[in-house]
Amino acid sequence: MKLGYIDYLNCYPFYYQMFEGAPPAGVEVVPGYPSELNRMMAEEKLDMSPVSAAMYPELADRVLLLPDFCLSSVGYVHSVILSSNMPIEDLDKKRIGLTSASKTSVIILKILLSRYYRIEPRYVPTAPNPSLKDAGVDAALIIGNEAMMGEMAPYTYDLGDLWMRKTNHPVVFAVFAVNKRLLEKNSAVVAAVVESYRKSLVLLAEKRETVIRRAAERYPLVHYDIDAYYRVLKYNFTPSLREAFSFYLQSAAEMGLLKKTAGEAFLGPLKE
């Protein structure tokens, strides 16, 4: 079974048990940017993976969501930012670079600017960590480790904070999906991965300093307070976060940015 891994600091706590010990038998961990994992899930080159929240409507017919886990923030997230040379209100008709690394945050930005700021910029694709000058843009969306590594422009907006203030909802950036066909073949492997995730989050609570030190060693270019970052992130898919996820999907569908879904389908109890 091929299991995706978002190769960012934010996803590391879920995989601590696998990286420091070993993956469950029969599991190959495949690291990549969120967009890469999304594509591989769509092409069925992965059996199970965290995927961008925005990817769910495209996969809804073929996957189930793990009911207990997500990657979310309530307010500031610190790793999903709009870096701009001018105030956000002045970006109408300006060029905004959109990172190729993710999809959820791109749609969050488009909803915020159109629905809440009433502006319509020109969007252009950029690399994951663009220079505003070199990319020829007035602002750029930057996510993940790159958002915590580069020099910032004069104006920096945290999309988790903006989304919370404008919609009163937190942001669910990623959910965990498993291909239904894998469940038909071997639900025991899925159960083992779920248990590994669960143990890893327990270790994040019980051996926090060790987990943080190992995360820093894995991502040495990230000069950031990892302890504070891990306190901002939310890993448990609580009822309020599920509600926020539904709100996001509905808002995106209303604007024609995502397909409309009939609702979210979650994985039930597994045989280990």
Side-chain angles (χ1 to χ4, degrees):
M1 188 263 269
K2 290 192 174 182
L3 172 67
Y5 165 63
I6 298 174
D7 199 2
Y8 283 155
L9 189 63
N10 59 12
C11 197
Y12 177 79
F14 285 104
Y15 289 75
Y16 178 78
Q17 178 82 0
M18 294 189 208
F19 291 155
E20 299 307 316
V27 173
E28 176 188 352
V29 178
V30 180
Y33 280 128
S35 57
E36 294 172 331
L37 303 183
N38 292 343
R39 175 181 53 77
M40 294 178 75
M41 280 294 285
E43 296 174 351
E44 298 192 343
K45 294 178 179 177
L46 292 176
D47 301 297
M48 184 175 181
S49 182
V51 295
S52 300
M55 191 64 190
Y56 177 67
E58 294 184 37
L59 301 174
D61 293 341
R62 292 184 279 124
V63 305
L64 294 173
L65 298 178
L66 301 190
D68 296 331
F69 308 118
C70 66
L71 268 172
S72 304
S73 72
V74 180
Y76 282 94
V77 63
H78 301 295
S79 59
V80 181
I81 62 168
L82 178 68
S83 181
S84 177
N85 285 329
M86 59 190 71
I88 193 170
E89 293 85 358
D90 296 340
L91 286 171
D92 192 38
K93 310 303 181 188
K94 303 297 184 183
R95 290 166 58 88
I96 295 183
L98 297 181
T99 174
S100 59
S102 181
K103 190 173 181 180
T104 301
S105 53
V106 167
I107 289 179
I108 285 174
L109 179 65
K110 288 182 176 180
I111 293 174
L112 283 171
L113 296 187
S114 178
R115 180 170 285 185
Y116 298 98
Y117 287 91
R118 304 293 183 187
I119 60 176
E120 297 295 337
R122 291 181 291 159
Y123 296 109
V124 296
T126 63
N129 189 15
S131 159
L132 297 189
K133 182 179 178 181
D134 294 341
V137 295
D138 302 291
L141 175 65
I142 305 173
I143 73 164
N145 293 0
E146 285 79 8
M148 297 184 284
M149 291 162 56
E151 294 184 7
M152 294 298 106
Y155 297 88
T156 299
Y157 299 91
D158 185 303
L159 291 199
D161 172 55
L162 278 188
W163 186 259
M164 189 72 184
R165 287 197 281 122
K166 297 295 185 181
T167 70
N168 290 320
H169 284 288
V171 176
V172 177
F173 291 104
V175 290
F176 288 72
V178 56
N179 194 309
K180 292 178 183 176
R181 290 198 308 173
L182 176 64
L183 292 169
E184 295 169 0
K185 292 187 295 185
N186 197 343
S187 63
V189 179
V190 178
V193 171
V194 169
E195 183 59 20
S196 180
Y197 286 161
R198 188 170 291 119
K199 286 181 178 177
S200 291
L201 295 184
V202 169
L203 290 170
L204 178 62
E206 295 180 349
K207 297 185 176 180
R208 191 172 187 84
E209 291 185 3
T210 302
V211 175
I212 289 171
R213 176 170 52 80
R214 297 296 293 157
E217 291 170 355
R218 186 176 181 90
Y219 299 103
L221 297 180
V222 176
H223 301 290
Y224 203 79
D225 185 341
I226 297 175
D227 181 54
Y229 184 51
Y230 284 167
R231 292 185 189 283
V232 167
L233 296 174
K234 307 300 176 189
Y235 301 113
N236 298 312
F237 214 171
T238 63
S240 65
L241 288 174
R242 289 192 188 188
E243 182 182 350
F245 180 49
S246 297
F247 172 81
Y248 166 80
L249 294 178
Q250 180 180 341
S251 299
E254 288 171 355
M255 292 182 59
L257 298 172
L258 291 177
K259 291 196 302 184
K260 187 176 181 180
T261 62
E264 297 81 64
F266 290 92
L267 179 66
L270 291 167
K271 293 181 180 179
E272 299 187 28

